[in-house]
């Protein structure tokens, strides 16, 4: 049963701490997306990769966020230092093709920064 | 940037009823998609539909790009259709903008 796996499912951290969220895309998918969902802003596309190369990260605050794909089986989203306003659910999705590919979502990481 | 407006914001249906959800765009439609988020938070990509009509089971979608809108039809609704439906479009430069969603509740 192929699925996108995200870890951790829940994370509570103190302001100023580094947070790393991980995503294992579906095997064979070459496009990976990071989304953020908050009550205030709704759903936002933060970044996406194709063939491990970052194609667009314009939705991501550059000063504290970074997204990488060290290999085809792992995508990471880091926040350093974290702030309370970063509290959100972060979704990873993977697919085949470009930004408009059918994307399969992970269950999300619920981040709470206190 | 592009503005995406969804209507209605909330909808309650009796099981078995049909419904139409609408998505309006402030600019030309490029690469429209529809998503469903179930009550447990799981997101599912429903349709990629930049123009024309597509059907998948009880769901179908139509995009009229020249008129800057898209419609999602749900026929014979079921309780499992409950959740929030989002539309999104890529407004150039690969910038994806989401609507605020339509929250659907299907009651037995």
């Amino acid at each position: 049963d192929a699925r996108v796996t995200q870890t951790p499912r829940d994370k509570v951290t103190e302001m100023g701490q580094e947070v790393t969220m991980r995503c294992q895309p579906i095997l064979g998918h070459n496009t990976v997306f990071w989304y953020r969902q908050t009550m205030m802003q709704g759903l936002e596309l933060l970044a996406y990769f194709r063939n491990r190369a970052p194609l667009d990260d314009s939705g991501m605050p550059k000063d504290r966020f970074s997204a990488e794909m060290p290999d085809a089986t792992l995508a990471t989203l880091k926040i350093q230092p974290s702030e309370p306003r970063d509290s959100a659910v972060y979704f990873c999705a993977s697919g085949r093709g470009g930004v408009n590919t059918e994307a399969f979502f992970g269950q999300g990481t619920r981040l709470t920064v206190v | 940037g592009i503005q995406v407006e969804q209507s209605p914001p909330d909808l309650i249906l009796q099981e078995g009823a049909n419904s139409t959800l609408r998505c309006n765009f402030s600019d030309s439609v490029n690469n429209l998609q529809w998503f469903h988020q179930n009550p447990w938070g799981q997101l599912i990509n429903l349709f990629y539909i930049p123009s024309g009509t597509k059907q998948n089971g009880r769901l179908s979608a139509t995009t009229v790009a020249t008129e800057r809108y898209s419609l999602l039809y749900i026929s014979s609704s079921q309780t499992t259709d409950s959740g929030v439906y989002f539309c999104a479009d890529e407004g150039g430069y690969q910038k994806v903008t989401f609507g605020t969603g339509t929250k659907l509740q299907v009651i037995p």
Side-chain angles (χ1 to χ4, degrees), chain A residues 35 37 43-45 48 55-56 58-59 91 99-103 105-107, chain B residues 31-33 35 37 41-45 48 86 90 93-96 98-99:
Chain A
Y35 294 89
Q37 186 174 33
L43 268 167
E44 303 170 278
L45 176 64
Y48 88 98
L55 288 192
D56 181 52
S58 60
F91 288 99
V99 69
N100 304 300
T101 186
E102 179 184 13
F105 287 80
Q107 293 184 296
Chain B
N31 293 296
L32 189 138
Q33 299 189 68
F35 299 85
Q37 187 169 35
Q42 181 65 44
L43 275 162
I44 297 171
N45 186 309
Y48 165 62
F86 295 99
E90 179 204 347
Y93 301 101
Q94 301 179 104
K95 173 68 175 174
V96 177
F98 285 84

